[in-house]
Every structure is written in C-alpha cells, then in structure tokens.
C-alpha cells in the first residue's frame, strides 16, 4: 500500500526526512518547489503531484519517480539507475552527468539537457524529451542516448542553439530532418537508418506506454542521428588513448 504525504507548506528537509524514514512506496501531494526529493533513493516508487524543485532524483539508485506536473532544474543529476517520468516539462540541466537510468519527459526541456552524460560499463543512460529542447543539448555528451521527439505544437525548431557542443560519445536522435539546425563540425548528422531506430525502439515503446501515446505514430517520421566524428578533437581531450 502506498503511503501518503501532504507536502503543503513543508520545508524540503522535512519532506525528505518523512520520505526516507517511513520506508515503502510514497505518494506526495501539494509539492511546490521542494528540492532533492528522492535523492540517492534505491528501489522504491515515488509519485508526486505538484512541482518538485531542483535536483529531483539526484544520484538516483533505482527508484521509480512519476511527476504529475512540471519539474524544475537538474532532474536526475548524476543518477545511476531507475526511471523518472515527468508528465509536464522540465527546467535546465536535466540528466547532468547521469550514468544510468532513464528520464522520460512528456513536454519540453530547458538548456543543457544531457550535459556530461556518460555510459558506465553496461549502464546506458537515456533521456527522451517529448517536445523540444533548449540550447546546448548534449553538451560534452560522452555516452548514452538522448532522444527528442518534437511533439510540441508551436513553430519553434526541435532544438535551440549549439546542440552537441563538445560531444565526444553517445548518440543524439532528433525526430526531424534537421534541415535548419546548425551542428558543430566535430559531429556527424545523418538520416537515421532502420538499424538506428531499432536501437531506440525499446525506449520509445516504454515512453509511449508511460504517457499513453502511439508508438507507430511517433516512428512514422524522419529521424536524424548525431554522433561524434571519429577524428573529433574533443575525443582526444576526454578519452585516454
């Protein structure tokens, strides 16, 4: 049975103490900007109604978090494992240095999503953004997968300025032909082939199940895949030879 916490007017430290000390799965109502919710948490389920503050699920270690609303900056900061499902949009630096787990966002993401994201052994971190992403998407990305679906309804491009700056590992998938997007010279952007889409299909299937979307509709569109150039000077700076 899921335990309930009413966080209305509650300080973030008090909320996190209640969350940790009671054990078991938890449903939080009245959340409004409390920081560090479920930071470092292992295999538990946390459902949040409202808007959690910065560093939701930081250092997450296997918990399942679902937010019925928006979330602020640094969602999944340095997370290791688990899933964060956001039914709204998120702020800046989502998935900073994450090295495992999945972040699924129904709406848009702010600046620097996936910055310093990296894979570790058999852990492959994944971020799926349903709408659009802000500037510096995948900055210094070293591993993992970032997928942006462009399901937003306004006319803005799927990603803003300077995507993949300093990218030296991992892959970025954009559900777009990306004809008007300027990528740095150190990466290669090409039309995704069937084998590329096969790689991301399990995550899209899980994403669609979480938000009640049709996987076939999402895949019925061109994707662009971006990878670092093998002669990328950034790779020489960050990867030991």
């Amino acid at each position: 049975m899921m335990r309930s916490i009413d966080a209305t007017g509650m300080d973030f430290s008090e909320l996190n103490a209640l969350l940790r000390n009671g054990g078991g799965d938890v449903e939080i109502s009245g959340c409004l900007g409390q920081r560090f919710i479920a930071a470092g948490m292992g295999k538990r389920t946390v459902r949040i109604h409202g808007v959690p503050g910065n560093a939701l699920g930081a250092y997450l270690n296997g918990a399942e978090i679902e937010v019925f609303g928006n979330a602020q900056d640094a969602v999944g900061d340095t997370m290791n494992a688990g899933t964060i499902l956001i039914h709204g949009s998120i702020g800046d630096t989502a998935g900073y240095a994450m090295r495992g787990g999945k972040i699924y966002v129904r709406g848009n993401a702010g600046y620097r999503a996936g910055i310093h994201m990296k894979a570790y052994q058999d852990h492959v971190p994944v971020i799926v953004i349903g709408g659009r992403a802000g500037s510096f998407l995948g900055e210094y990305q070293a591993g993992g997968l970032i997928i942006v679906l462009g399901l937003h309804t306004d006319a803005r491009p799927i990603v803003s300025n300077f995507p993949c700056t300093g990218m030296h590992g991992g892959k970025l998938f954009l559900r777009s032909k990306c004809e008007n997007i300027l990528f740095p010279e150190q990466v290669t952007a090409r039309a995704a082939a069937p084998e590329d889409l096969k790689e991301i299909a399990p995550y899209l299937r899980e994403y669609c199940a979480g938000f009640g979307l049709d996987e076939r509709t999402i895949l019925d569109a061109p994707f662009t895949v971006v990878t670092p150039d093998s002669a990328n000077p950034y790779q020489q700076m960050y990867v030991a030879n």
Side-chain angles (χ1 to χ4, degrees), residues 71-75 90-95 109-113 134:
Q72 295 181 354
D73 298 343
V75 171
I90 57 176
D92 299 338
T93 63
Y111 295 161
R112 290 187 160 91

Side-chain angles (χ1 to χ4, degrees), residues 170-231:
K171 294 180 182 179
L172 168 65
F173 287 82
L174 300 172
R175 186 174 170 267
S176 167
K177 291 184 179 180
C178 297
E179 294 170 336
N180 298 315
I181 296 175
L182 182 63
F183 295 100
E185 294 181 357
Q186 293 83 11
V187 302
T188 298
R190 57 174 175 80
E195 55 268 26
D196 297 311
L197 298 180
K198 184 177 180 181
E199 180 180 6
I200 64 174
Y203 307 111
L204 294 181
R205 189 173 303 118
E206 189 174 38
Y207 179 91
C208 289
F211 296 118
L213 301 175
D214 181 17
E215 179 189 354
R216 291 171 297 180
T217 301
I218 286 179
L219 285 171
D220 189 23
F223 277 76
T224 298
V225 57
V226 185
T227 54
D229 192 316
S230 60

Side-chain angles (χ1 to χ4, degrees), residues 114-119 138-144 166-170 238-239:
I115 178 175
H116 287 298
M117 187 175 174
K118 63 201 73 174
E139 185 178 31
Y140 304 115
Q141 184 182 353
M167 181 185 191
H168 55 281
Y238 292 100
V239 180

Side-chain angles (χ1 to χ4, degrees), residues 31-34 48-53 67 69-72:
C31 185
L32 187 59
Q34 289 92 342
I48 302 171
H49 299 268
V51 182
V67 178
N70 299 325
Q72 295 181 354

Side-chain angles (χ1 to χ4, degrees), residues 28-51:
I28 300 171
S29 61
C31 185
L32 187 59
Q34 289 92 342
R35 297 171 287 165
F36 310 120
I37 295 175
M41 187 167 286
K43 294 184 178 180
R44 295 168 61 187
T45 297
V46 180
R47 294 178 183 161
I48 302 171
H49 299 268
V51 182

Side-chain angles (χ1 to χ4, degrees), residues 38-41 56-65 74-85 94-104 117-118 120 123-127:
M41 187 167 286
L56 169 71
Y59 303 98
L60 198 69
N61 207 28
E64 307 292 319
I65 300 174
V75 171
D77 184 341
T78 324
M79 68 183 287
N80 296 308
T83 302
I84 302 176
L85 193 74
Y96 176 88
M98 68 182 291
R99 50 203 174 194
K102 293 165 285 190
I103 299 174
Y104 293 155
M117 187 175 174
K118 63 201 73 174
Y120 174 69
H123 299 280
V124 179
V126 178
I127 299 176

